[in-house]
Amino acid sequence: MLLSIQDLNVSFRMGDRGAKSLAPAVNGVSFDIAENRTMALVGESGSGKSVTAMSILNLLPDNAERSGKILWQGKDLLTTPMHELQKLRGREIACVFQDPMTSLNPVFTVGDQLTEPLVKHLGLSGKAALARAEALLVEVGMPEPKRRLSAYPHELSGGQQQRVMIAMALACEPKLLIADEPTTALDVTIQRQILELIAAIQRKHRMSVLFISHDLGVVGEIADEVLVMRHGVIREQGPVAEIFAAPKDAYTQALLACRPSLKGNPARLRVIDDHIAGKGTHAPAAAKNPDAPVVLEVRALAKSFWLKQGLFGKREFKAVQGVNFNLRRGHTLGVVGESGSGKTTMGLTLLRLHEPTHGEVIFDGKDLLKLNASERQLMRRRIQIVFQNPYASLNPRFTIGQTLVEPMAIHRLGASADEREQRARTLLDKVGLDASAFGKYPHEFSGGQRQRIAIARALTLDPEVLVLDEAVSALDVSVQAQVLNLLRDLQDELGLAYVFISHDLAVVRFISDEVLVMKDGVVVEQAPVAQILEAPREEYTRKLLAAIPRGYVPAAA
């Protein structure tokens, strides 16, 4: 047995170290990973799956306390000195994390970061390490690998950054790869490529993989065995075929049931507690009013960037070209496409967070692209945005209460500070966070919780139009269902109109009325959501649909 975890318990000391106040995170977890096998840890945010995985190499904060056994080829890593653990890290056990941009060093080139473990662990010379680094980039399918060695992380797309992380992890040919949510924020085609890459590398090197995810659709395609966790406890474990065909635990059944489907469009998604409580499925969504007033009219919207070429030259990069649509009150426009398709740039240009090259955005009879600074400030209250990365868009020095109250104070909403605070607390409750969140800081929350805070902040000003840029991509399935239900409820209650940018076509199916499919800055297909997903006209749209993880599919006989 390559790795055997036996009765693992992990707690975190809270407050004064001397008081020994402990917050349990993992309780009695046991499982084995054999050679050349993939074990998936599945569960919601806070289930303990990442804490379990990070315990293996003691990549936990200093206030963590561990007990039990973690046997690596028979040696207990819980009692292994730190200097010996450091020799294992990257050499025999390697990690790929969820957000490569925070894992890669922004001030070092890709080549510098790839050669470091080769020099440190394998003793290669600089020249040999650089040659090996290029070969690793070839192996992970990086385009123009030699040129990428001199690139910095910010010059790469999200999918390319994740390929660099995988190349770094494979540098010393480890026996175990710990992959912590490696595909969560990637679009479906890049996600498919990364999953196929991990599977191919595993076959080539006969490497074992501990794959952490909240997405059972992804897990079903890559894992041999599945371990389902909730609140730090194992709820169910077994072969992937068994778990998908006949899950025994109500929580596992709920995880499988609350994911949005590509078929049908219910009024509300079932959340975990609904399923466990035995509540029935929801009725189909009511039809929207096709004659609702148009709140946003976009005509020939375009955005170009000018890039340096040579010493003095520059060239035009057309990020968005000729986008047209009407958005009606109470309706949702879904915008889908791969990374680099222009969907986020289009959303930012709508709000003039990017200055447009040309086009019109008509809102309340006025062209948003021609407003002066004071007029634009007034209009921004009525059109809000939720960004893809909540940690980057929340001020780390503000408490959550300050973050929510500040926009209300700037726009003079609420009769008093107490009234604004009460509204902020109400919004936190609506997005599923308890009262204690008000006085905390962003770093004290998980990625999913930070995204809910960002949505609450956007709602503080009672907007009429909300641009949601991958607003639920980082959320686990249960919280995702809660937030999507919240967005649907708010839309029904307030008549909000959404521009919903996403790479997740199942989510788009649930929330959207009409869909734009973008490729290379151009709208290649535009139609009602059912038509796009059930009878796409364009080959590119069919490619996006084919890349969606479908869960466990038995191997052919």
Side-chain angles (χ1 to χ4, degrees):
M1 192 59 62
L2 189 67
L3 178 72
S4 179
I5 294 182
Q6 301 173 10
D7 193 30
L8 177 67
N9 297 278
V10 182
S11 296
F12 293 94
R13 292 187 301 273
M14 306 300 289
D16 182 15
R17 184 183 294 259
K20 290 192 177 293
S21 172
L22 296 178
V26 172
N27 185 12
V29 167
S30 300
F31 62 89
D32 299 328
I33 302 179
E35 293 184 3
N36 195 30
R37 301 285 287 176
T38 298
M39 166 70 79
L41 292 184
V42 178
E44 300 170 273
S45 297
S47 64
K49 57 188 188 295
S50 291
V51 171
T52 298
M54 294 304 103
S55 294
I56 295 170
L57 288 173
N58 195 17
L59 295 174
L60 295 173
D62 291 339
N63 65 331
E65 293 189 0
R66 302 176 297 161
S67 64
K69 290 185 177 181
I70 300 177
L71 301 179
W72 173 251
Q73 297 179 312
K75 183 176 184 178
D76 191 354
L77 298 185
L78 286 186
T79 59
T80 300
M82 181 56 71
H83 69 275
E84 290 187 32
L85 274 181
Q86 288 174 340
K87 292 179 183 178
L88 280 178
R89 293 173 179 171
R91 181 67 184 90
E92 295 190 35
I93 305 174
C95 299
V96 176
F97 298 103
Q98 178 175 351
D99 185 358
M101 195 57 196
T102 58
S103 303
L104 294 170
N105 193 318
V107 300
F108 287 110
T109 65
V110 168
D112 290 335
Q113 297 182 67
L114 279 171
T115 54
E116 182 184 14
L118 296 169
V119 172
K120 180 177 180 179
H121 291 296
L122 302 184
L124 297 186
S125 66
K127 186 176 180 180
L130 204 59
R132 172 64 178 149
E134 184 179 346
L136 284 165
L137 290 182
V138 171
E139 186 173 1
V140 298
M142 177 70 77
E144 302 180 272
K146 189 167 188 175
R147 186 169 73 85
R148 302 296 183 191
L149 288 173
S150 59
Y152 289 89
H154 73 272
E155 298 178 287
L156 306 178
S157 70
Q160 290 170 340
Q161 290 169 4
Q162 198 61 284
R163 287 174 190 272
V164 171
M165 283 297 301
I166 293 172
M168 288 174 63
L170 296 174
C172 300
E173 299 188 3
K175 297 174 183 175
L176 175 66
L177 177 68
I178 299 173
D180 189 0
E181 303 271 12
T183 64
T184 293
L186 303 179
D187 65 61
V188 287
T189 53
I190 303 299
Q191 178 176 258
R192 168 71 57 188
Q193 292 169 21
I194 296 297
L195 291 175
E196 291 175 351
L197 172 63
I198 291 173
I201 289 169
Q202 181 185 26
R203 288 192 298 271
K204 179 179 178 180
H205 296 286
R206 296 190 61 79
M207 175 180 67
S208 296
V209 178
L210 179 59
F211 192 91
I212 302 162
S213 181
H214 61 253
D215 190 335
L216 281 166
V218 170
V219 163
E221 296 204 354
I222 196 169
D224 301 303
E225 297 174 72
V226 179
L227 188 150
V228 181
M229 294 184 68
R230 192 184 197 198
H231 302 325
V233 176
I234 295 174
R235 297 294 295 258
E236 186 168 6
Q237 65 185 113
V240 65
E242 195 176 290
I243 296 293
F244 272 75
K248 297 181 177 66
D249 190 83
Y251 178 65
T252 309
Q253 295 167 5
L255 282 177
L256 288 164
C258 70
R259 179 92 173 90
S261 171
L262 285 169
K263 298 178 180 179
N265 199 4
R268 294 177 64 79
L269 295 169
R270 297 174 75 193
V271 298
I272 296 287
D273 291 339
D274 284 348
H275 191 281
I276 292 175
K279 293 183 180 178
T281 57
H282 293 290
K288 298 286 181 69
N289 177 11
D291 300 319
V294 173
V295 293
L296 199 65
E297 185 178 350
V298 176
R299 294 289 171 263
L301 185 67
K303 173 61 183 175
S304 293
F305 296 96
W306 293 93
L307 307 177
K308 285 184 66 176
Q309 190 169 39
L311 190 59
F312 300 108
K314 60 181 180 178
R315 64 183 177 88
E316 183 182 14
F317 170 64
K318 296 181 178 179
V320 176
Q321 304 177 57
V323 173
N324 300 281
F325 65 83
N326 288 337
L327 180 61
R328 296 183 180 273
R329 179 178 170 83
H331 286 232
T332 300
L333 175 75
V335 184
V336 301
E338 298 174 276
S339 295
S341 64
K343 57 187 189 293
T344 292
T345 301
M346 187 272 287
L348 295 176
T349 305
L350 286 178
L351 285 82
R352 282 183 69 179
L353 295 175
H354 286 320
E355 285 297 326
T357 306
H358 58 79
E360 295 179 315
V361 179
I362 308 301
F363 178 73
D364 196 18
K366 297 179 180 178
D367 187 352
L368 297 182
L369 308 185
K370 295 179 180 177
L371 299 180
N372 60 37
S374 60
E375 290 172 325
R376 192 162 70 236
Q377 177 75 357
L378 290 172
M379 202 61 76
R380 277 186 173 161
R381 172 185 162 185
R382 300 169 67 186
I383 304 180
Q384 286 287 299
I385 186 167
V386 178
F387 294 100
Q388 179 175 358
N389 184 346
Y391 195 68
S393 62
L394 295 173
N395 190 328
R397 297 183 179 182
F398 275 20
T399 65
I400 302 312
Q402 290 172 302
T403 294
L404 298 184
V405 168
E406 183 192 39
M408 291 188 278
I410 290 172
H411 290 274
R412 299 177 182 176
L413 285 181
S416 65
D418 288 343
E419 185 176 322
R420 289 190 281 269
E421 179 177 331
Q422 183 54 48
R423 174 167 170 74
R425 292 182 182 277
T426 300
L427 284 169
L428 284 176
D429 183 63
K430 273 195 172 185
V431 297
L433 294 171
D434 61 35
S436 66
F438 193 84
K440 293 182 179 178
Y441 290 87
H443 73 271
E444 298 181 80
F445 295 90
S446 69
Q449 289 170 326
R450 289 196 290 262
Q451 193 63 285
R452 284 184 274 173
I453 292 163
I455 291 170
R457 180 180 61 181
L459 296 173
T460 56
L461 300 179
D462 288 328
E464 297 165 51
V465 176
L466 209 54
V467 176
L468 298 129
D469 184 11
E470 301 281 10
V472 298
S473 65
L475 307 182
D476 61 61
V477 287
S478 180
V479 175
Q480 183 183 83
Q482 292 173 25
V483 172
L484 289 171
N485 286 339
L486 169 66
L487 291 172
R488 176 70 66 79
D489 291 343
L490 290 167
Q491 187 171 59
D492 293 343
E493 179 185 346
L494 305 173
L496 293 173
Y498 299 141
V499 177
F500 193 90
I501 300 166
S502 180
H503 65 259
D504 190 328
L505 290 168
V507 169
V508 166
R509 173 64 193 248
F510 171 75
I511 198 74
S512 300
D513 303 293
E514 187 178 359
V515 176
L516 294 183
V517 182
M518 295 189 68
K519 182 178 187 293
D520 299 328
V522 177
V523 177
V524 297
E525 190 161 1
Q526 181 174 354
V529 63
Q531 181 179 321
I532 288 284
L533 296 180
E534 295 167 13
R537 296 191 313 271
E538 300 295 323
E539 178 59 32
Y540 177 70
T541 310
R542 290 193 284 271
K543 176 187 171 186
L544 289 178
L545 289 166
I548 299 171
R550 308 281 174 167
Y552 174 72
V553 179

